[in-house]
Amino acid sequence: MRRLGKTRRTVRTARGGGRAVAAACGAALALLTALPAQARTPGPATPHWDLKDTGTTSVRFRGLAAVDRRTAWVSGTEGTVLRTTDGGASWRDVSPPGAADLQFRDVEAFDARRAVVLAIGEGEASRVYRTEDGGTTWTESFRNTDARAFYDCLAFFDSRHGLAVSDPVDGRFRILSTGDGGRSWKVLPDGGMPAALDGEAGFAASGQCLVASGAKDVWLATGGAARARVLHSSDRGLTWTAADAPIPAGDPARGVFAVAFRDRGHGLAVGGDYRADQPSPRAAAATGDAGRTWRPATAPPPAYRSGVAWLPHSRSAALAVGPTGTDLTTDAGRTWRPVDAGSYDTVDCAPDLGCWAAGEKGRVARLES
C-alpha cells in the first residue's frame, strides 16, 4: 500500500469570478452534462481530456498542481518534476538535481514560480523540496530521519501554512507543519490524533490523501484497515476526529484514496481496491457535514478511483479519475457516470476552469471543449 499511496489541495493565486468566467464554467458544465453515458470518443465540441506531449513515456505522474489553464506542475517517478506555462504545448523539466532515485508523489504550487514537492518512502526517502524560481533551483527543506515514518501527502491552507502526513508512528498518524511556505517544518504533537487502526495508513496515489479547505480545515483519507476512514481537523492539524467511510476496506489494497472539499462542509471521497483484478463496487461517498458522516453514492464509479476534484464555481459537479477512466457527477456525488476511458491517477482544477489530469506513461491532459 505504501508503495502506491500518495494530494492538497493546491493553493492557487489565480482568481475566479466575473461574468466571463461564470459563463465559461456554465458552458463547460452544460456540455459535460450532455455527454452520453458511455462517451469514449470526443467530438469537436465535446469536453474531453486533450493529451499533451510531456516528452516522456516512462514517468508515472501522481503529483499534480493546476495553477490555471496555462500553468500546471506535475511530479512523479524518476525524481521528475515538469512545469508548463503555455497550456501544455511545451513542458520544462525542472526536476531537483540528484533526485533521480526519488518518487515525487505530491506537488503543491502557489503560482508559476513557487512550488513544494514531496518525495515519499521509508526513512530518508521522504523529503520536501521548495522552489521560488520556477524550478531553476530547489532547496531541500525537510528530510525524514525516523525510519518508522513514511510521508504520503502535502496540503496547504494558504501560501504560508501547510501540512504533510506520515503513516502512523507509535500508533498515530504523524503530522508535519510549516508556517513559512515550506521553508521549514516541525512535527506536531500527536496528543490530539486518534489512535490508528491496525494496518491503517495513507495512500500516496494522487496527492489527495490530505486536503485543505479554507484557513484551518484539513482532511486525511485512510485505508488498509478493517474500516476505511476520513479524519478531520479544524485547527490546522492539532486535533482530529475520525469517521468511517462506506468505501471498500479490510485489505491493505483497499480504502479511501482521495478526498476533495468545495467548502468546509461538502466533500467527496473516492477509492476502492487498486488491484486491477479486484472489484470496487462502492468506490465513492459524499458528506455534507464536514466529514462527520459519509453517505455512499447510489450509482458509484464502476471501478477503483484514485483522484477527485470539484469543477470550479459548481456546487454539484466533480470529476473522478483512475486507471480505467474518468467519471462525472452532476449531483454532488450521489451518482456518477463514465465520460472517458483514459488512464489517469490524479485530477485538479483551477478557478479559471483549468482542469488537468495526470497518470502513467507520462500522460498529462487538460480538459478541452
Side-chain angles (χ1 to χ4, degrees):
M1 173 176 58
R2 286 176 167 177
R3 290 191 297 273
L4 177 69
K6 160 201 177 174
T7 76
R8 125 233 336 293
R9 242 340 348 167
T10 304
V11 178
R12 310 178 184 92
T13 57
R15 292 291 181 260
R19 294 181 179 178
V21 172
C25 292
L29 177 57
L31 286 170
L32 277 168
T33 306
L35 282 171
Q38 298 295 329
R40 287 294 180 262
T41 304
T46 300
H48 62 280
W49 289 123
D50 181 30
L51 275 172
K52 308 298 183 180
D53 183 4
T54 61
T56 179
T57 58
S58 64
V59 176
R60 188 162 195 163
F61 294 117
R62 294 186 184 273
L64 168 64
V67 176
D68 53 41
R69 283 187 58 80
R70 294 186 60 80
T71 303
W73 300 67
V74 290
S75 65
T77 54
E78 301 176 16
T80 305
V81 180
L82 304 184
R83 185 195 64 155
T84 183
T85 56
D86 57 11
S90 64
W91 294 84
R92 180 184 170 198
D93 187 338
V94 296
S95 307
D101 293 333
L102 300 179
Q103 294 194 46
F104 289 123
R105 294 291 185 92
D106 201 354
V107 56
E108 305 294 325
F110 309 115
D111 50 40
R113 296 183 62 79
R114 299 176 297 157
V116 178
V117 295
L118 171 71
I120 70 155
E122 296 178 349
E124 293 192 2
S126 285
R127 306 178 194 179
V128 178
Y129 292 80
R130 187 182 192 278
T131 183
E132 296 183 359
D133 55 14
T136 300
T137 61
W138 293 87
T139 300
E140 182 183 311
S141 58
F142 172 77
R143 182 179 296 205
N144 174 47
T145 58
D146 189 336
R148 302 169 299 170
F150 186 111
Y151 285 86
D152 297 305
C153 299
L154 290 168
F156 275 82
F157 304 95
D158 52 45
S159 62
R160 292 183 59 82
H161 301 91
L163 303 176
V165 62
S166 163
D167 289 339
V169 176
D170 293 330
R172 286 178 168 80
F173 284 94
R174 175 170 288 181
I175 302 297
L176 200 63
S177 175
T178 180
D180 54 14
R183 295 178 181 87
S184 63
W185 298 83
K186 65 179 181 181
V187 175
L188 293 181
D190 64 3
M193 175 67 71
L197 303 177
D198 184 30
E200 190 174 26
F203 288 104
S206 61
Q208 296 176 318
C209 69
L210 186 73
V211 302
S213 179
K216 294 184 177 182
D217 287 279
V218 61
W219 293 264
L220 166 60
T222 79
R227 307 189 307 276
R229 301 199 298 176
V230 178
L231 282 64
H232 172 228
S233 171
S234 59
D235 55 11
R236 291 183 180 167
L238 293 176
T239 61
W240 298 78
T241 57
D244 291 349
I247 283 179
D251 186 277
R254 299 174 186 162
V256 181
F257 281 72
V259 289
F261 279 77
R262 65 172 171 81
D263 53 42
R264 74 175 309 270
H266 298 85
L268 302 169
V270 299
D273 191 318
Y274 71 73
R275 295 171 294 190
D277 61 342
Q278 296 297 314
S280 295
R282 295 172 287 111
T287 181
D289 57 11
R292 287 189 293 272
T293 60
W294 292 86
R295 61 182 182 278
T298 57
Y304 154 74
R305 294 294 179 254
S306 56
V308 62
W310 291 91
L311 267 66
H313 316 291
S314 173
R315 298 176 61 84
S316 59
L319 295 168
V321 300
T324 62
T326 299
D327 302 283
L328 168 72
T329 179
T330 56
D331 54 16
R334 286 187 290 276
T335 61
W336 297 82
R337 58 187 176 88
V339 294
D340 186 89
S343 174
Y344 298 103
D345 293 311
T346 186
V347 59
D348 192 28
C349 293
D352 68 346
L353 206 67
C355 289
W356 298 78
E360 63 180 342
K361 300 180 180 178
R363 288 168 60 89
V364 179
R366 191 180 69 176
L367 192 67
E368 304 288 354
S369 61

PDB file of all heavy atoms in Angstrom, residues 197-221:
ATOM      1  N   LEU A 197      -5.986   2.548  13.411  1.00  0.00           N
ATOM      2  CA  LEU A 197      -6.447   1.165  13.396  1.00  0.00           C
ATOM      3  C   LEU A 197      -5.298   0.246  12.983  1.00  0.00           C
ATOM      4  O   LEU A 197      -4.309   0.691  12.397  1.00  0.00           O
ATOM      5  CB  LEU A 197      -7.611   1.011  12.413  1.00  0.00           C
ATOM      6  CG  LEU A 197      -8.829   1.900  12.626  1.00  0.00           C
ATOM      7  CD1 LEU A 197      -9.855   1.678  11.515  1.00  0.00           C
ATOM      8  CD2 LEU A 197      -9.449   1.663  13.988  1.00  0.00           C
ATOM      9  N   ASP A 198      -5.430  -1.005  13.272  1.00  0.00           N
ATOM     10  CA  ASP A 198      -4.417  -1.981  12.894  1.00  0.00           C
ATOM     11  C   ASP A 198      -4.280  -2.018  11.371  1.00  0.00           C
ATOM     12  O   ASP A 198      -5.253  -2.259  10.660  1.00  0.00           O
ATOM     13  CB  ASP A 198      -4.804  -3.362  13.416  1.00  0.00           C
ATOM     14  CG  ASP A 198      -3.734  -4.404  13.144  1.00  0.00           C
ATOM     15  OD1 ASP A 198      -2.549  -4.029  13.100  1.00  0.00           O
ATOM     16  OD2 ASP A 198      -4.091  -5.584  12.969  1.00  0.00           O
ATOM     17  N   GLY A 199      -3.093  -1.733  10.861  1.00  0.00           N
ATOM     18  CA  GLY A 199      -2.847  -1.749   9.433  1.00  0.00           C
ATOM     19  C   GLY A 199      -3.208  -0.469   8.709  1.00  0.00           C
ATOM     20  O   GLY A 199      -3.006  -0.369   7.492  1.00  0.00           O
ATOM     21  N   GLU A 200      -3.703   0.537   9.409  1.00  0.00           N
ATOM     22  CA  GLU A 200      -4.173   1.762   8.766  1.00  0.00           C
ATOM     23  C   GLU A 200      -3.002   2.624   8.292  1.00  0.00           C
ATOM     24  O   GLU A 200      -1.992   2.761   8.970  1.00  0.00           O
ATOM     25  CB  GLU A 200      -5.035   2.560   9.736  1.00  0.00           C
ATOM     26  CG  GLU A 200      -5.780   3.723   9.096  1.00  0.00           C
ATOM     27  CD  GLU A 200      -6.729   4.395  10.072  1.00  0.00           C
ATOM     28  OE1 GLU A 200      -6.479   4.321  11.296  1.00  0.00           O
ATOM     29  OE2 GLU A 200      -7.722   5.006   9.627  1.00  0.00           O
ATOM     30  N   ALA A 201      -3.163   3.237   7.119  1.00  0.00           N
ATOM     31  CA  ALA A 201      -2.145   4.108   6.549  1.00  0.00           C
ATOM     32  C   ALA A 201      -2.787   4.982   5.484  1.00  0.00           C
ATOM     33  O   ALA A 201      -3.986   4.871   5.199  1.00  0.00           O
ATOM     34  CB  ALA A 201      -1.004   3.283   5.963  1.00  0.00           C
ATOM     35  N   GLY A 202      -1.991   5.869   4.899  1.00  0.00           N
ATOM     36  CA  GLY A 202      -2.464   6.696   3.806  1.00  0.00           C
ATOM     37  C   GLY A 202      -1.985   6.139   2.476  1.00  0.00           C
ATOM     38  O   GLY A 202      -1.012   5.384   2.416  1.00  0.00           O
ATOM     39  N   PHE A 203      -2.681   6.509   1.391  1.00  0.00           N
ATOM     40  CA  PHE A 203      -2.289   6.073   0.054  1.00  0.00           C
ATOM     41  C   PHE A 203      -1.647   7.242  -0.690  1.00  0.00           C
ATOM     42  O   PHE A 203      -2.284   8.275  -0.895  1.00  0.00           O
ATOM     43  CB  PHE A 203      -3.506   5.587  -0.736  1.00  0.00           C
ATOM     44  CG  PHE A 203      -4.054   4.271  -0.256  1.00  0.00           C
ATOM     45  CD1 PHE A 203      -5.214   4.216   0.490  1.00  0.00           C
ATOM     46  CD2 PHE A 203      -3.407   3.084  -0.571  1.00  0.00           C
ATOM     47  CE1 PHE A 203      -5.731   3.001   0.916  1.00  0.00           C
ATOM     48  CE2 PHE A 203      -3.916   1.864  -0.155  1.00  0.00           C
ATOM     49  CZ  PHE A 203      -5.079   1.819   0.601  1.00  0.00           C
ATOM     50  N   ALA A 204      -0.410   7.073  -1.105  1.00  0.00           N
ATOM     51  CA  ALA A 204       0.278   8.102  -1.885  1.00  0.00           C
ATOM     52  C   ALA A 204      -0.011   7.894  -3.364  1.00  0.00           C
ATOM     53  O   ALA A 204       0.883   7.683  -4.173  1.00  0.00           O
ATOM     54  CB  ALA A 204       1.778   8.052  -1.614  1.00  0.00           C
ATOM     55  N   ALA A 205      -1.281   7.935  -3.743  1.00  0.00           N
ATOM     56  CA  ALA A 205      -1.694   7.570  -5.097  1.00  0.00           C
ATOM     57  C   ALA A 205      -1.998   8.758  -5.988  1.00  0.00           C
ATOM     58  O   ALA A 205      -1.976   8.630  -7.211  1.00  0.00           O
ATOM     59  CB  ALA A 205      -2.934   6.676  -5.037  1.00  0.00           C
ATOM     60  N   SER A 206      -2.279   9.925  -5.392  1.00  0.00           N
ATOM     61  CA  SER A 206      -2.726  11.052  -6.209  1.00  0.00           C
ATOM     62  C   SER A 206      -2.452  12.404  -5.580  1.00  0.00           C
ATOM     63  O   SER A 206      -2.861  13.428  -6.122  1.00  0.00           O
ATOM     64  CB  SER A 206      -4.238  10.947  -6.459  1.00  0.00           C
ATOM     65  OG  SER A 206      -4.947  10.987  -5.216  1.00  0.00           O
ATOM     66  N   GLY A 207      -1.783  12.431  -4.452  1.00  0.00           N
ATOM     67  CA  GLY A 207      -1.576  13.701  -3.756  1.00  0.00           C
ATOM     68  C   GLY A 207      -2.823  14.211  -3.087  1.00  0.00           C
ATOM     69  O   GLY A 207      -2.878  15.369  -2.673  1.00  0.00           O
ATOM     70  N   GLN A 208      -3.842  13.360  -2.942  1.00  0.00           N
ATOM     71  CA  GLN A 208      -5.116  13.821  -2.400  1.00  0.00           C
ATOM     72  C   GLN A 208      -5.564  13.026  -1.182  1.00  0.00           C
ATOM     73  O   GLN A 208      -6.736  12.993  -0.861  1.00  0.00           O
ATOM     74  CB  GLN A 208      -6.190  13.763  -3.497  1.00  0.00           C
ATOM     75  CG  GLN A 208      -5.906  14.712  -4.644  1.00  0.00           C
ATOM     76  CD  GLN A 208      -6.909  14.590  -5.766  1.00  0.00           C
ATOM     77  OE1 GLN A 208      -7.316  13.501  -6.164  1.00  0.00           O
ATOM     78  NE2 GLN A 208      -7.321  15.726  -6.295  1.00  0.00           N
ATOM     79  N   CYS A 209      -4.620  12.414  -0.474  1.00  0.00           N
ATOM     80  CA  CYS A 209      -4.992  11.765   0.779  1.00  0.00           C
ATOM     81  C   CYS A 209      -4.997  12.771   1.922  1.00  0.00           C
ATOM     82  O   CYS A 209      -5.460  12.467   3.024  1.00  0.00           O
ATOM     83  CB  CYS A 209      -4.078  10.586   1.088  1.00  0.00           C
ATOM     84  SG  CYS A 209      -2.381  11.000   1.509  1.00  0.00           S
ATOM     85  N   LEU A 210      -4.483  13.972   1.681  1.00  0.00           N
ATOM     86  CA  LEU A 210      -4.532  15.071   2.648  1.00  0.00           C
ATOM     87  C   LEU A 210      -4.924  16.320   1.881  1.00  0.00           C
ATOM     88  O   LEU A 210      -4.229  16.739   0.953  1.00  0.00           O
ATOM     89  CB  LEU A 210      -3.170  15.262   3.312  1.00  0.00           C
ATOM     90  CG  LEU A 210      -3.107  16.281   4.451  1.00  0.00           C
ATOM     91  CD1 LEU A 210      -3.806  15.731   5.703  1.00  0.00           C
ATOM     92  CD2 LEU A 210      -1.661  16.640   4.783  1.00  0.00           C
ATOM     93  N   VAL A 211      -6.080  16.918   2.236  1.00  0.00           N
ATOM     94  CA  VAL A 211      -6.550  18.106   1.521  1.00  0.00           C
ATOM     95  C   VAL A 211      -7.058  19.132   2.514  1.00  0.00           C
ATOM     96  O   VAL A 211      -7.563  18.796   3.588  1.00  0.00           O
ATOM     97  CB  VAL A 211      -7.669  17.778   0.505  1.00  0.00           C
ATOM     98  CG1 VAL A 211      -7.192  16.755  -0.510  1.00  0.00           C
ATOM     99  CG2 VAL A 211      -8.925  17.303   1.200  1.00  0.00           C
ATOM    100  N   ALA A 212      -6.919  20.403   2.139  1.00  0.00           N
ATOM    101  CA  ALA A 212      -7.351  21.510   2.995  1.00  0.00           C
ATOM    102  C   ALA A 212      -8.420  22.323   2.294  1.00  0.00           C
ATOM    103  O   ALA A 212      -8.499  22.357   1.059  1.00  0.00           O
ATOM    104  CB  ALA A 212      -6.169  22.401   3.349  1.00  0.00           C
ATOM    105  N   SER A 213      -9.258  22.989   3.105  1.00  0.00           N
ATOM    106  CA  SER A 213     -10.254  23.913   2.584  1.00  0.00           C
ATOM    107  C   SER A 213     -10.387  25.065   3.569  1.00  0.00           C
ATOM    108  O   SER A 213     -10.647  24.839   4.751  1.00  0.00           O
ATOM    109  CB  SER A 213     -11.616  23.228   2.394  1.00  0.00           C
ATOM    110  OG  SER A 213     -12.586  24.143   1.905  1.00  0.00           O
ATOM    111  N   GLY A 214     -10.181  26.283   3.087  1.00  0.00           N
ATOM    112  CA  GLY A 214     -10.250  27.424   3.987  1.00  0.00           C
ATOM    113  C   GLY A 214      -8.983  27.569   4.807  1.00  0.00           C
ATOM    114  O   GLY A 214      -7.931  26.994   4.501  1.00  0.00           O
ATOM    115  N   ALA A 215      -9.086  28.327   5.897  1.00  0.00           N
ATOM    116  CA  ALA A 215      -7.908  28.715   6.663  1.00  0.00           C
ATOM    117  C   ALA A 215      -7.417  27.655   7.635  1.00  0.00           C
ATOM    118  O   ALA A 215      -6.239  27.642   7.991  1.00  0.00           O
ATOM    119  CB  ALA A 215      -8.197  30.006   7.432  1.00  0.00           C
ATOM    120  N   LYS A 216      -8.299  26.725   8.074  1.00  0.00           N
ATOM    121  CA  LYS A 216      -7.888  25.825   9.143  1.00  0.00           C
ATOM    122  C   LYS A 216      -8.345  24.379   8.982  1.00  0.00           C
ATOM    123  O   LYS A 216      -7.878  23.506   9.713  1.00  0.00           O
ATOM    124  CB  LYS A 216      -8.394  26.350  10.493  1.00  0.00           C
ATOM    125  CG  LYS A 216      -7.764  27.663  10.919  1.00  0.00           C
ATOM    126  CD  LYS A 216      -8.231  28.072  12.313  1.00  0.00           C
ATOM    127  CE  LYS A 216      -7.544  29.360  12.757  1.00  0.00           C
ATOM    128  NZ  LYS A 216      -7.950  29.752  14.135  1.00  0.00           N
ATOM    129  N   ASP A 217      -9.258  24.097   8.054  1.00  0.00           N
ATOM    130  CA  ASP A 217      -9.818  22.750   7.944  1.00  0.00           C
ATOM    131  C   ASP A 217      -8.985  21.870   7.027  1.00  0.00           C
ATOM    132  O   ASP A 217      -8.578  22.286   5.936  1.00  0.00           O
ATOM    133  CB  ASP A 217     -11.257  22.806   7.428  1.00  0.00           C
ATOM    134  CG  ASP A 217     -12.222  23.319   8.469  1.00  0.00           C
ATOM    135  OD1 ASP A 217     -12.630  22.517   9.326  1.00  0.00           O
ATOM    136  OD2 ASP A 217     -12.532  24.527   8.451  1.00  0.00           O
ATOM    137  N   VAL A 218      -8.761  20.619   7.456  1.00  0.00           N
ATOM    138  CA  VAL A 218      -7.988  19.670   6.671  1.00  0.00           C
ATOM    139  C   VAL A 218      -8.523  18.271   6.930  1.00  0.00           C
ATOM    140  O   VAL A 218      -8.985  17.961   8.024  1.00  0.00           O
ATOM    141  CB  VAL A 218      -6.486  19.777   7.019  1.00  0.00           C
ATOM    142  CG1 VAL A 218      -6.229  19.464   8.484  1.00  0.00           C
ATOM    143  CG2 VAL A 218      -5.643  18.891   6.122  1.00  0.00           C
ATOM    144  N   TRP A 219      -8.469  17.422   5.885  1.00  0.00           N
ATOM    145  CA  TRP A 219      -8.985  16.059   5.977  1.00  0.00           C
ATOM    146  C   TRP A 219      -7.906  15.069   5.539  1.00  0.00           C
ATOM    147  O   TRP A 219      -7.134  15.337   4.614  1.00  0.00           O
ATOM    148  CB  TRP A 219     -10.217  15.882   5.090  1.00  0.00           C
ATOM    149  CG  TRP A 219     -11.404  16.662   5.558  1.00  0.00           C
ATOM    150  CD1 TRP A 219     -12.444  16.214   6.333  1.00  0.00           C
ATOM    151  CD2 TRP A 219     -11.691  18.044   5.278  1.00  0.00           C
ATOM    152  NE1 TRP A 219     -13.344  17.230   6.549  1.00  0.00           N
ATOM    153  CE2 TRP A 219     -12.918  18.365   5.919  1.00  0.00           C
ATOM    154  CE3 TRP A 219     -11.031  19.047   4.556  1.00  0.00           C
ATOM    155  CZ2 TRP A 219     -13.494  19.629   5.845  1.00  0.00           C
ATOM    156  CZ3 TRP A 219     -11.592  20.310   4.496  1.00  0.00           C
ATOM    157  CH2 TRP A 219     -12.816  20.588   5.132  1.00  0.00           C
ATOM    158  N   LEU A 220      -7.883  13.923   6.180  1.00  0.00           N
ATOM    159  CA  LEU A 220      -6.919  12.861   5.920  1.00  0.00           C
ATOM    160  C   LEU A 220      -7.673  11.581   5.569  1.00  0.00           C
ATOM    161  O   LEU A 220      -8.501  11.113   6.354  1.00  0.00           O
ATOM    162  CB  LEU A 220      -6.033  12.647   7.154  1.00  0.00           C
ATOM    163  CG  LEU A 220      -5.184  11.371   7.223  1.00  0.00           C
ATOM    164  CD1 LEU A 220      -4.213  11.305   6.056  1.00  0.00           C
ATOM    165  CD2 LEU A 220      -4.444  11.308   8.557  1.00  0.00           C
ATOM    166  N   ALA A 221      -7.415  11.028   4.394  1.00  0.00           N
ATOM    167  CA  ALA A 221      -8.063   9.793   3.940  1.00  0.00           C
ATOM    168  C   ALA A 221      -7.177   8.602   4.256  1.00  0.00           C
ATOM    169  O   ALA A 221      -5.956   8.665   4.094  1.00  0.00           O
ATOM    170  CB  ALA A 221      -8.316   9.863   2.439  1.00  0.00           C
TER     171      ALA A 221
END
